[in-house]
Amino acid sequence: MASLRMLMTVRQFSSSLARSQMVNAPIQVFGIEGRYATALYSAASKEKKLEVVEKDFKKLQTLLKENTNLAEFIVDPTLKQQEKASTVSEVLKMAKVDKLTTNTFAALADNHRLKNLNGVMNAFNLLMSAHRGEVIANITTAKPLDAKSSKELESALQAFLKKNESLQINTKVDPSLVGGMVIEIGDKYIDMSMVSKIKTYTNLIKEAV
């Protein structure tokens, strides 16, 4: 039904009427992906389907991760948009996702934005984490942390939380950091990596010469 097509379709984002009808998101997410994700959050919130859409996205992100050919097909700029839209439509039918999810993908296809698909899903996931009061901390270290260090770090990060917020930590290893770590939590970015320190000292030396 046309009236259900992604809050009168995502293409009406720019209208003041659409903005006035939207449910406020718990946080701001920026860029094209943020606009689509925020509109979807509003539509899903009104229909009480936030968790339904979130479940759909998790299913589809897993599918795209496992099926690299499909993922590459969707973002391939040399393929016709109609061909991509048709394939995506069939995938959604097989996945049996909700109409809001289908309408979001259709809006992306109509506006030649399928290349932003994964970014939209990631942005929506951020909104849902904020909706539940979760604060996501992305920790990148030069080598894996042991149990003691992980516990101490988690304890220290609790200081960033407000009342009724919970911490969700994602970790990854990047040997190029040489040592130390990089922390991204909320809107804060803390670089305590050895490579960053080396660059700083190198620049200071160059300035002194």
Side-chain angles (χ1 to χ4, degrees):
M1 186 181 296
S3 61
L4 294 175
R5 194 176 176 81
M6 252 307 277
L7 196 61
M8 301 302 289
T9 79
V10 181
R11 286 173 293 183
Q12 295 178 328
F13 275 139
S14 59
S15 72
S16 58
L17 177 60
R19 285 198 299 271
S20 67
Q21 291 176 340
M22 292 185 58
V23 173
N24 289 332
I27 58 172
Q28 278 189 296
V29 281
F30 301 97
I32 293 171
E33 292 87 352
R35 290 171 59 198
Y36 280 88
T38 300
L40 176 57
Y41 179 90
S42 177
S45 181
K46 288 181 179 181
E47 296 195 21
K48 302 186 186 304
K49 289 185 175 181
L50 287 171
E51 287 74 19
V52 172
V53 174
E54 182 182 33
K55 185 178 179 180
D56 284 347
F57 277 2
K58 286 182 178 178
K59 183 194 303 183
L60 293 168
Q61 284 188 306
T62 298
L63 174 63
L64 292 174
K65 187 176 181 180
E66 294 175 348
N67 191 332
T68 55
N69 288 334
L70 176 60
E72 291 172 0
F73 173 86
I74 289 174
V75 299
D76 190 338
T78 65
L79 298 175
K80 291 183 179 180
Q81 197 67 22
Q82 185 176 359
E83 183 181 359
K84 286 199 237 181
S86 177
T87 299
V88 169
S89 178
E90 290 301 315
V91 170
L92 295 177
K93 286 180 182 178
M94 290 188 289
K96 297 180 180 179
V97 299
D98 186 80
K99 67 181 182 299
L100 284 175
T101 304
T102 299
N103 290 344
T104 301
F105 278 61
L108 287 166
D110 289 346
N111 290 299
H112 304 278
R113 296 291 187 185
L114 282 175
K115 63 182 180 181
N116 301 103
L117 175 57
N118 199 52
V120 171
M121 292 192 286
N122 287 336
F124 185 83
N125 291 338
L126 285 176
L127 289 174
M128 288 303 295
S129 290
H131 172 75
R132 288 189 290 267
E134 297 172 352
V135 175
I136 299 175
N138 294 312
I139 314 297
T140 306
T141 55
K143 60 181 180 180
L145 296 174
D146 56 34
K148 181 181 178 181
S149 297
S150 294
K151 189 174 182 179
E152 290 175 348
L153 178 59
E154 181 177 354
S155 178
L157 291 175
Q158 294 292 332
F160 289 93
L161 304 184
K162 298 176 182 178
K163 187 178 180 180
N164 297 324
E165 289 183 336
S166 61
L167 184 65
Q168 181 179 324
I169 297 178
N170 300 322
T171 61
K172 69 176 182 178
V173 175
D174 182 359
S176 70
L177 295 182
V178 183
M181 67 182 67
V182 173
I183 300 172
E184 296 176 73
I185 179 168
D187 59 354
K188 297 176 176 62
Y189 181 86
I190 308 166
D191 189 344
M192 299 182 291
S193 66
M194 184 61 69
V195 69
S196 177
K197 291 180 180 179
I198 292 173
K199 287 180 180 178
T200 299
Y201 295 147
T202 300
N203 289 335
L204 288 173
I205 292 171
K206 286 181 178 179
E207 291 174 5
V209 174

